[in-house]
Amino acid sequence: MRQRHPAATSSEHLVIVGNGMAGHRLVEALLARPERPARITVIGAETAPAYNRILLSPLLAGELQHDALALRCAEWYAEQGIELVLGEQVESIDRSARRLTTDAGRELDYDRLVLATGSTPARPPVPELELPGVQVFRDLHDADALARAAETGSNAVVIGGGLLGLEAAEGLRKRGQDKRGMQVSLLQRDDRLMNRQLDLTAARLLESELRGRGLDIHTDAQLERLEADAEGQVCAALLADGTRLAADCVVVAIGIVPQAELGRVAGLEVNRGIVVDQWLTTSDPAIHALGECCEFEGHTFGLVEPIWRQVEVLAAHLSGETVDGYVEQPTATKLKVSGVSLYAFGPTDPEPGHEVLSYRDPQQGDYRRLLLRDGRLEGAVLYGDTASGPWYFEQALAERDLSACRAALLLGAADAQALLDDASNESPQHPAKEAA
Ligand SMILES: Cc1cc2nc3c(=O)[nH]c(=O)nc-3n(C[C@H](O)[C@H](O)[C@H](O)COP(=O)(O)OP(=O)(O)OC[C@H]3O[C@@H](n4cnc5c(N)ncnc54)[C@H](O)[C@@H]3O)c2cc1C
């Protein structure tokens, strides 16, 4: 459905709360549009201007320096005529007065408000999580603190074997290896790493690669509690099976929770996230939400790809353009651990009606598993050579019938596409054939 929102008036003041990846991308998208709101203010709780949060993992691993993460400096905002307030947290919104207040006591009136407050790390229901030495991995401060821990500590335990936990564990191991050689253990509650993306075979390949690098991986692991030493600093993690792992640093990476409290307190409709419609509008027509803090049709978000699509819809909407509403689409997952190539989308295990095609080359360390239904691709897991991943994903999004190239599907994009092209040339509907 397409909708046109009236263009912003010259005096309209747009306030964006959150100078993270979504908030910043929205600024860039608005600047590309002449009909944008005339006055834009951005308020961010972090002290640094927006940076590429995705690159915190290579930063922790010591593969990148801080400046590689920068998106725009504070001066750039000033040059664009945008007021940027950093290091202040918006504490309350008075919707009837259209005014917000920050923790520094600043009051700001708005005509239109965008909440882009992201999410916070989820915490397992384990006592002693407040102990010194227990950390999360969300922002620059966390990455710096973990880097220091890797350089000075001896043992780390990472709780969570999903994308973030794996990147944290591998980052700590890599960062620490040149110094004292930190021993890193990783706890995964499920029977496999990345259980939301990988089948068992790919997860085992990943596990064996990471074990080979020195990570101590515990699957089916149930954390019972953490122990403190005489100074009150965390010193060990105890598992339900009695295993005791020494730990001067514990990283909690079990998932994220939308940061929706500001919206909840302001009386907006909130479930897990701030509920928005197709135009990212909340239950208050003057307030929008996007990124990890929002919830659309029961979905919340944890990857940037859908957030970029939200940004385009909202920027167009705020600039008075006619625009199609946001539509949920599947996303593909990649892991940012150097030397490990992984690409996955769709269901992790076959469902009734799925045809399974798989290929494994133990010599090369390659594994591919495709799930098809009625000739159409619904899921893929690629480990090792992932070059064809985006092509598979494209075919799945287009719901293309791949029956004509089934024999070459596992060989990769080039071979499969060649067969598809041949088949379409032979088709009686094909213009080339008709012309001939
Ligand atoms: C280590 C790491 C690696 C990642 N790797 C990938 C990856 O490889 N691929 C991928 O797609 N995604 C990845 N992600 C996820 C991606 O970074 C997020 O999806 C993205 O940052 C979400 O953008 P956002 O703007 O919604 O939230 P954020 O980027 O978190 O921004 C929210 C901002 O709002 C601020 N804020 C919150 N409340 C207030 C308030 N009340 N007042 C003022 N400011 C406030 C916060 O301080 C924060 O700066 C990774 C995340 C992490 C932490």
Side-chain angles (χ1 to χ4, degrees):
M1 186 171 144
R2 292 171 77 77
Q3 196 182 68
R4 189 168 201 278
H5 175 78
T9 60
S10 55
S11 59
E12 196 162 287
H13 184 200
L14 171 73
V15 177
I16 302 174
V17 182
N19 186 221
M21 294 195 74
H24 175 74
R25 182 97 166 193
L26 180 65
V27 169
E28 299 261 9
L30 285 169
L31 287 173
R33 293 171 160 87
E35 300 290 328
R36 64 177 176 270
R39 187 176 160 213
I40 301 176
T41 303
V42 181
I43 307 181
E46 293 184 66
T47 47
Y51 53 89
N52 188 342
R53 198 173 302 281
I54 291 177
L55 298 181
L56 286 175
S57 302
L59 177 76
L60 171 60
E63 295 159 0
L64 290 179
Q65 300 304 312
H66 276 99
D67 51 4
L69 276 63
L71 292 171
R72 301 283 192 181
C73 60
E75 291 71 37
W76 176 85
Y77 283 83
E79 283 159 20
Q80 310 304 317
I82 291 170
E83 193 186 342
L84 177 65
V85 179
L86 291 176
E88 286 185 34
Q89 184 150 339
V90 174
E91 275 193 338
S92 62
I93 303 167
D94 177 344
R95 292 202 288 130
S96 54
R98 295 201 179 179
R99 177 171 303 142
L100 49 79
T101 309
T102 73
D103 57 356
R106 184 192 301 263
E107 291 196 335
L108 214 57
D109 291 337
Y110 66 84
D111 297 297
R112 214 161 271 282
L113 183 64
V114 174
L115 301 178
T117 49
S119 58
T120 50
R123 301 215 150 207
V126 172
E128 306 101 19
L129 267 184
E130 301 310 317
L131 288 175
V134 180
Q135 313 204 20
V136 292
F137 186 27
R138 180 73 200 172
D139 60 26
L140 271 176
H141 290 290
D142 300 329
D144 288 342
L146 290 176
R148 279 194 300 277
E151 286 165 5
T152 55
S154 325
N155 299 288
V157 170
V158 176
I159 308 170
L163 274 178
L164 196 59
L166 284 167
E167 291 184 8
E170 181 57 6
L172 283 168
R173 185 201 65 80
K174 216 165 163 220
R175 170 72 74 147
Q177 74 186 359
D178 301 333
K179 308 283 172 174
R180 301 172 49 168
M182 184 178 239
Q183 172 63 49
V184 184
S185 302
L186 182 131
L187 308 182
Q188 165 70 325
R189 207 173 45 175
D190 206 87
D191 66 344
R192 64 181 98 160
L193 298 176
M194 291 180 67
N195 58 298
R196 290 168 71 180
Q197 291 90 13
L198 299 185
D199 67 354
L200 199 56
T201 309
R204 291 283 183 264
L205 285 168
L206 174 64
E207 191 177 324
S208 125
E209 165 67 29
L210 296 177
R211 274 187 201 281
R213 296 179 181 196
L215 276 186
D216 170 37
I217 297 173
H218 299 251
T219 49
D220 289 313
Q222 195 69 43
L223 175 70
E224 198 153 88
R225 64 189 172 86
L226 301 177
E227 255 180 26
D229 62 15
E231 279 87 50
Q233 158 87 26
V234 73
C235 69
L238 292 163
L239 310 192
D241 66 2
T243 307
R244 183 179 185 280
L245 299 165
D248 37 57
C249 166
V250 170
V251 186
V252 183
I254 59 164
I256 52 173
V257 181
Q259 190 130 280
E261 203 46 31
L262 193 56
R264 199 186 313 271
V265 172
L268 300 177
E269 187 188 345
V270 173
N271 289 330
R272 279 186 301 148
I274 303 167
V275 175
V276 293
D277 68 9
Q278 277 189 296
W279 290 278
L280 291 313
T281 305
T282 68
S283 52
D284 178 338
I287 305 183
H288 305 271
L290 87 165
E292 288 188 352
C293 68
C294 81
E295 176 176 326
F296 173 71
E297 292 181 344
H299 295 275
T300 53
F301 305 90
L303 294 172
V304 293
E305 201 180 291
I307 297 176
W308 293 166
R309 289 189 286 110
Q310 292 178 352
V311 164
E312 285 308 309
V313 173
L314 184 55
H317 186 66
L318 290 170
S319 306
E321 295 170 16
T322 303
V323 61
D324 283 330
Y326 173 77
V327 182
E328 186 58 358
Q329 278 181 10
T331 40
T333 303
K334 290 161 235 157
L335 178 72
K336 302 191 304 300
V337 165
S338 6
V340 177
S341 283
L342 253 178
Y343 192 97
F345 64 86
T348 52
D349 293 307
E351 293 164 1
H354 272 150
E355 182 191 4
V356 183
L357 298 182
S358 67
Y359 160 87
R360 188 162 172 192
D361 179 346
Q363 292 285 313
Q364 296 291 326
D366 279 343
Y367 171 67
R368 269 167 234 173
R369 196 237 36 210
L370 307 177
L371 296 178
L372 294 142
R373 191 189 300 275
D374 301 327
R376 288 170 172 80
L377 198 53
E378 289 194 347
V381 174
L382 280 76
Y383 184 93
D385 177 1
T386 56
S388 297
W391 184 84
Y392 288 130
F393 188 52
E394 204 185 300
Q395 308 310 308
L397 282 184
E399 298 181 12
R400 199 157 290 141
D401 185 350
L402 301 171
S403 308
C405 65
R406 188 186 175 287
L409 256 187
L410 283 171
L411 300 178
D415 294 82
Q417 186 64 54
L419 272 191
L420 274 185
D421 292 345
D422 286 352
S424 99
N425 283 335
E426 281 161 18
S427 139
Q429 281 83 39
H430 196 274
K433 179 86 177 179
E434 278 169 14

